[in-house]
Amino acid sequence: VLKFARWAFEKFAGIEDRLGTQMRAVGEVMSIGRTFKEAFQKAVRSLEIGRSGPGFAKDFNDLSVDELLRIIAVPNSERYFAIYEALRKGAGTDKIYAVTKIKKYYLEQMRELVELENEILTYKKRVLPNDLLIRAKKDGFADKYLSTLLDVPEEYIRLHRNVVGVKEEWDIVPVSGAEAEYYYSTYNGLGKLGRELSDSRKKRGICEKEDKRKKIVILGGGPNRIGQGIEFDYCCVHTALSLREAGYKTIMINCNPETVSTDYDTSDKLYFEPLTVEDVLSVCEYEKPVGAIVQFGGQTPLNIAMELKKAGVPILGTTPEVIALAEDRDLFRKMMDKMDIPMPESGMAGNYEEAATAAAGIGYPVMVRPSYVLGGRAMEVVFDSEQLKNYMSVNSRYIAKDAPVLIDRFLDNAIECEADALSDGSTAFVPAIMEHIEYAGIHSGDSACVIPTVNITEQQAETIRDYTRRIAEELGVVGLMNIQYAIRLGKVYVLEANPRASRTVPLVSKICNINMADIAVKLIMAEHTGVHIDLSDATAPKIPYFGVKEAVFPFNMFPEVDPVLGPEMRSTGEVLGLSDSFGLAFYKALEAGKSVLPLSGSVLISVAEKDKEQATNVAKRFESLGFKIYATKGTHERLISEGIKTELINKLHEGRPNIEDAIKNHRLDVIVNTPGGSRRSNFDGSYMRKSAIRYNIPYMTTLTAALAGVKGIEEKKRTPAENVRSLQEYHANLK
């Protein structure tokens, strides 16, 4: 059994990829094999980092032995991949042991993998000899990795395997103290595992009963990482419970040991396997299910859905073709144009020249991002052609002819919101609309959100419900769908549609008392069960309280990172606050996230030029609450001109005493700081924000969050001892 951590250093610009005594992993995978080599290779392809094997990662193969030894001398997230290339370059295990102190057994195992891989590479663009294919599969080489090494389609490797008769067998891990077990695959079974399993069960007194229930495969979400976490596991677990209630035998495939979906009793059968075409297809060929459900595990199952369907696995619910259409910005825009639903002007590009032409036609600023990513990976607001050129260079690995960069007009100062929908393919139901507290430009996963909405008119809300229903029906979505919107100058724009479960499903379900995953499963399985749900009469509940979601960030683990928010997601979790008022719900959400707002004291306000007008309102509210206001020069002058009493505080370069002194001397109780435009302003702002984390001072980097925070303080002072109520007691007041 091998555990491999999942890191997200790529999400934090300027951070040093270095491991030490402070935990920096955001998730992990677990793999099981009959040999270390087999388990190691399965772990690598489970990580969801775009690698199907340990070789040729990054540019390590282009480096010299000395350069690689320098890299592996310091523990980092890429260490094992660099060791692999160092072994290929001829570095001995003794030398690597001297540098890393990793046990020689593991280094020898990796050396043997490298030697076998080098032998495989001599057959590039040719068919592997059968004995070499068998050795490779026993040592854990994935079909996809072999196809990359040999420069042939993955299907060729799979066909060759099947012809030779090289197939995965299944072994079990008995669960201690329970009549249960979970499964893992191996190519080292020697054809004896079936008999061994029967003997093992007899010894443990487990009777093998005939089970005539039809089987459904559920694909999990893989390792927790930024952009995809337990919110998708929540959906998978409820899917398993719903299917079991409907009389189906549930088969879960996942590789994440941290989740409820990989508890042995969540599903009828658990396969601890990587979520790749090869591994999932092997399970499906062995179990012969009615079909597989892919829409609850986030982006991971969607990435392989089309290939699974081509290989003969029925995909239940929304089809892979519909998912691909929604992800193809060009096709989706044409559909929106046909339906007369507005979207921000956009374009696509495969290189800088195309991107520059598209951006010039749209007009700066633009939102730029790669195709087929989750969590806003490499998403950025670009203000000019020079910044665009740099973006295309830095993110070239995400851009290809079949995966162009997407360029959209950036809707400045727009309210973002989103709607989750349930659809049966012809009718859709929208239980709630979630309003983002931060303006457009902050990733939806990082923005605080509220249900019911606070600043959206009923007419705008009806437009959102109408667009959501029409899009779901036009696409033919069966199950769940999420659509993101922006409202600017009163006009509602569609930003994107995701015909799958979203990270907001647990929030909507718990605030509205609607088990969305359970209903979605019933809609997906209606064709097989004959039980149909009529969505045409469904009405959204009237919610007499407020639910606020706040993101939780790992910035305390990365003290060198500026905690300013943007279009790329950086949060690793979220909390929910419930109350009869929006302000108090927001206060409770912050409190749950370990950022308790003070009810009195002092506040530092230092904002960018474009934010000074709105900062006046925030400052007045703080002043009315009795807070002492400190402000940096530009903000101080603006607030004084508005009649607000403030005390000037120096920035770092303006002399002493300054911001640093005030923070270290504990004179500040809350900080409101928005990123500035100049390099010096950004330096000062970055110091403020980092120091706020270091000294555990509540901070806000957007004025919409600051305004919500002030409302929270006002409500908390008005209601110092709110009656504590259970979730069920809140639900009892729904209408």
Side-chain angles (χ1 to χ4, degrees):
V1 177
L2 194 149
K3 187 269 280 187
F4 207 125
R6 174 68 153 81
W7 292 277
F9 289 108
E10 74 280 359
K11 289 279 189 178
F12 303 96
I15 192 172
E16 182 184 7
D17 183 348
R18 184 172 186 146
L19 307 180
T21 55
Q22 184 176 43
M23 179 176 168
R24 289 187 154 192
V26 295
E28 63 189 27
V29 298
M30 187 174 96
S31 64
I32 311 174
R34 283 210 152 187
T35 66
F36 170 78
K37 296 175 190 174
E38 187 174 52
F40 176 68
Q41 298 247 44
K42 288 174 79 174
V44 170
R45 67 179 184 263
S46 295
L47 285 170
E48 295 288 323
I49 55 175
R51 298 173 191 171
S52 53
F56 301 101
K58 289 194 167 180
D59 63 344
F60 296 146
N61 187 249
D62 299 327
L63 303 179
S64 67
V65 171
D66 288 340
E67 288 172 318
L68 290 166
L69 289 174
R70 280 196 294 274
I71 290 171
I72 66 178
V74 178
N76 60 76
S77 68
E78 299 285 0
R79 197 181 209 186
Y80 290 101
F81 302 100
I83 288 173
Y84 200 82
E85 295 307 324
L87 289 165
R88 196 196 303 274
K89 297 277 184 176
T93 53
D94 288 339
K95 180 68 173 175
I96 294 175
Y97 171 77
V99 172
T100 65
K101 296 297 185 279
I102 293 172
K103 288 184 179 179
K104 290 184 182 179
Y105 167 79
Y106 302 113
L107 298 176
E108 286 292 339
Q109 293 285 296
M110 292 178 71
R111 181 186 59 76
E112 290 175 14
L113 286 175
V114 169
E115 289 177 355
L116 179 55
E117 184 171 312
N118 286 339
E119 189 177 347
I120 291 167
L121 285 167
T122 63
Y123 289 88
K124 205 169 188 73
K125 292 187 179 294
R126 292 189 289 157
V127 177
L128 280 180
N130 291 348
D131 64 328
L132 188 54
L133 175 65
I134 292 169
R135 284 170 56 203
K137 295 310 294 183
K138 284 187 173 183
D139 276 358
F141 283 82
D143 287 356
K144 188 170 184 179
Y145 191 45
L146 288 172
S147 76
T148 302
L149 296 174
L150 297 172
D151 196 17
V152 298
E154 184 181 351
E155 294 90 330
Y156 288 14
I157 305 295
R158 186 159 62 242
L159 180 62
H160 186 186
R161 260 199 312 107
N162 291 335
V163 169
V164 177
V166 181
K167 293 189 176 182
E168 289 179 310
E169 294 181 72
W170 306 100
D171 203 353
I172 60 167
V173 177
V175 177
S176 178
E179 244 188 56
E181 55 204 14
Y182 51 89
Y183 292 73
Y184 70 94
S185 67
T186 180
Y187 283 96
N188 290 284
L190 304 175
K192 300 177 182 179
L193 287 186
R195 189 173 67 253
E196 288 180 11
L197 292 183
S198 294
D199 292 344
S200 170
R201 286 170 180 148
K202 284 177 184 176
K203 286 179 183 177
R204 289 181 288 129
I206 296 177
C207 299
E208 297 187 53
K209 301 172 185 175
E210 185 180 6
D211 192 339
K212 294 184 178 180
R213 290 178 297 168
K214 292 180 179 179
K215 304 171 184 177
I216 304 292
V217 165
I218 306 162
L219 300 192
N224 287 351
R225 63 266 200 199
I226 293 175
Q228 188 164 310
I230 56 172
E231 60 272 19
F232 294 107
D233 197 70
Y234 166 96
C235 294
C236 291
V237 169
H238 279 276
T239 299
L241 298 176
S242 182
L243 287 169
R244 184 183 289 173
E245 187 182 327
Y248 288 94
K249 184 174 183 177
T250 55
I251 298 166
M252 185 74 69
I253 307 176
N254 206 354
C255 55
N256 187 341
E258 302 175 294
T259 56
V260 179
S261 69
T262 51
D263 285 351
Y264 70 87
D265 55 353
T266 295
S267 55
D268 294 300
K269 215 166 179 183
L270 168 64
Y271 284 86
F272 240 110
E273 291 293 293
L275 289 150
T276 69
V277 174
E278 174 186 355
D279 298 289
V280 172
L281 198 54
S282 293
V283 174
C284 291
E285 287 173 349
Y286 178 67
E287 292 288 354
K288 297 176 174 55
V290 171
I293 295 180
V294 301
Q295 65 176 264
F296 295 108
Q299 194 66 34
T300 299
L302 302 187
N303 290 338
I304 61 173
M306 192 70 81
E307 290 183 72
L308 290 175
K309 184 176 180 179
K310 287 178 183 176
V313 178
I315 303 299
L316 304 176
T318 305
T319 66
E321 291 81 3
V322 167
I323 293 166
L325 188 155
E327 290 184 330
D328 186 312
R329 300 290 283 184
D330 193 37
L331 290 177
F332 185 69
R333 170 170 287 283
K334 287 175 181 175
M335 192 180 95
M336 293 298 97
D337 289 343
K338 185 185 80 172
M339 298 175 69
D340 197 27
I341 294 176
M343 288 185 73
E345 192 177 349
S346 67
M348 295 187 296
N351 54 50
Y352 168 68
E353 288 73 23
E354 293 175 4
T357 301
I362 294 168
Y364 291 99
V366 291
M367 182 76 78
V368 188
R369 61 175 174 160
S371 308
Y372 310 114
V373 295
L374 200 66
R377 181 71 199 103
M379 188 184 290
E380 193 173 315
V381 179
V382 171
F383 291 90
D384 54 46
S385 59
E386 192 62 35
Q387 189 182 350
L388 180 63
K389 189 172 186 177
N390 181 65
Y391 175 92
M392 297 296 287
S393 173
V394 170
N395 297 289
S396 58
R397 66 187 182 278
Y398 297 113
I399 303 165
K401 191 173 288 185
D402 59 345
V405 68
L406 310 176
I407 303 170
D408 296 290
R409 180 185 295 281
F410 177 60
L411 301 176
D412 198 18
N413 290 326
I415 297 173
E416 276 202 36
C417 53
E418 54 191 291
D420 285 300
L422 290 155
S423 175
D424 61 6
S426 58
T427 308
F429 165 56
V430 182
I433 298 168
M434 180 177 283
E435 179 186 338
H436 295 193
I437 291 170
E438 279 83 8
Y439 279 154
I442 307 299
H443 191 278
S444 61
D446 286 352
S447 177
C449 304
V450 59
I451 297 176
T453 61
V454 176
N455 298 300
I456 296 173
T457 68
E458 181 51 40
Q459 183 180 356
Q460 291 164 349
E462 186 50 46
T463 299
I464 290 168
R465 285 189 285 266
D466 176 57
Y467 287 172
T468 304
R469 284 191 291 262
R470 288 168 57 197
I471 292 169
E473 291 161 10
E474 180 72 17
L475 285 170
V477 170
V478 179
L480 287 167
M481 186 172 96
N482 171 273
I483 301 184
Q484 309 246 345
Y485 294 94
I487 303 171
R488 187 169 186 270
L489 302 177
K491 186 174 182 178
V492 177
Y493 295 86
V494 169
L495 299 181
E496 63 180 17
N498 298 297
R500 56 162 172 79
S502 74
R503 66 177 61 85
T504 56
V505 166
L507 293 163
V508 175
S509 297
K510 289 171 184 177
I511 294 171
C512 300
N513 194 25
I514 295 174
N515 190 334
M516 294 187 70
D518 175 66
I519 298 171
V521 169
K522 289 177 168 62
L523 295 169
I524 290 168
M525 299 306 300
E527 186 180 330
H528 298 272
T529 62
V531 179
H532 295 269
I533 297 175
D534 186 4
L535 294 176
S536 60
D537 293 333
T539 56
K542 292 181 180 177
I543 305 170
Y545 49 85
F546 291 87
V548 171
K549 177 218 90 172
E550 180 57 292
V552 177
F553 299 91
F555 293 126
N556 61 310
M557 297 196 303
F558 306 110
E560 67 269 46
V561 172
D562 186 350
V564 69
L565 303 181
E568 177 153 357
M569 185 174 170
R570 299 165 107 186
S571 60
T572 52
E574 57 194 29
V575 292
L576 175 64
L578 292 171
S579 182
D580 290 333
S581 72
F582 163 64
L584 197 51
F586 184 76
Y587 185 94
K588 290 168 74 174
L590 287 180
E591 190 175 29
K594 307 301 181 187
S595 180
V596 183
L597 292 175
L599 301 184
S600 61
S602 60
V603 57
L604 167 61
I605 302 178
S606 179
V607 299
E609 188 62 39
K610 63 183 176 62
D611 297 322
K612 285 186 169 59
E613 183 177 345
Q614 194 177 355
T616 303
N617 185 26
V618 173
K620 285 178 179 176
R621 301 281 284 272
F622 270 113
E623 186 178 46
S624 68
L625 288 166
F627 277 76
K628 180 175 183 177
I629 300 174
Y630 291 94
T632 51
K633 187 177 179 182
T635 307
H636 168 74
E637 290 172 353
R638 178 58 183 264
L639 296 182
I640 287 290
S641 71
E642 296 288 339
I644 301 168
K645 185 180 179 182
T646 67
E647 184 171 320
L648 177 65
I649 190 168
N650 290 323
K651 293 184 178 180
L652 297 182
H653 64 280
E654 294 174 341
R656 308 288 292 272
N658 56 28
I659 293 170
E660 182 177 16
D661 299 311
I663 290 172
K664 287 183 176 178
N665 293 325
H666 306 286
R667 288 165 51 202
L668 302 176
D669 299 295
V670 62
I671 294 174
V672 176
N673 171 253
T674 62
S678 70
R679 181 171 296 181
R680 176 160 278 176
S681 292
N682 279 330
F683 175 80
D684 287 316
S686 177
Y687 176 82
M688 274 186 255
R689 296 184 288 269
K690 291 176 187 176
S691 297
I693 292 170
R694 193 176 305 120
Y695 289 90
N696 200 27
I697 302 170
Y699 69 96
M700 289 98 161
T701 60
T702 67
L703 288 178
T704 48
L707 195 57
V710 172
K711 288 180 182 176
I713 295 170
E714 290 169 348
E715 292 293 337
K716 181 65 176 176
K717 292 185 81 166
R718 264 198 296 269
T719 318
E722 184 190 28
N723 290 330
V724 176
R725 283 175 286 171
S726 67
L727 185 62
Q728 291 80 1
E729 287 172 309
Y730 276 106
H731 289 167
N733 294 320
L734 287 169
K735 298 173 183 176

